[in-house]
């Protein structure tokens, strides 16, 4: 798992960053790496707590809207 870059949610003191699952696989003639967003980390810069969007990292997020 890896943490992506934080992005500001406009008009708030909140930032969010994707939690990505990295995976590598090999096909016959090339190696490929891929990542998929499994969760989001939310950071409140006003008082510094962080929280995950969903409790576990076993979901797959295809897109997100702020």
């Amino acid at each position: 798992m890896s943490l992506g870059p934080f992005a500001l949610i406009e008009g708030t003191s909140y930032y969010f960053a994707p939690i990505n699952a990295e995976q590598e696989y090999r096909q016959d003639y090339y190696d490929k790496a891929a990542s998929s967003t499994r969760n989001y980390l939310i950071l409140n810069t006003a008082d510094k707590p962080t929280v995950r969007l969903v409790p576990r990292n076993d979901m797959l997020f295809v897109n997100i809207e702020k």
Side-chain angles (χ1 to χ4, degrees):
M1 298 295 229
S2 65
L3 189 62
F6 279 92
L8 176 65
I9 300 173
E10 295 293 327
T12 72
S13 61
Y14 292 94
Y15 283 78
F16 72 98
I19 299 172
N20 298 315
E22 307 294 328
Q23 56 191 34
E24 294 183 24
Y25 56 93
R26 181 171 172 78
Q27 293 193 332
D28 290 341
Y29 53 92
Y30 66 92
D31 292 335
K32 181 159 176 112
S35 77
S36 56
T37 301
R38 298 304 177 127
N39 208 340
Y40 284 90
L41 185 68
I42 313 293
L43 167 67
N44 182 350
T45 57
D47 52 3
K48 306 293 189 226
T50 59
V51 64
R52 289 183 291 171
L53 186 60
V54 294
R56 300 185 338 218
N57 296 333
D58 60 354
M59 301 192 75
L60 177 61
F61 289 84
V62 204
N63 63 23
I64 189 166
E65 291 186 35
K66 296 181 197 177

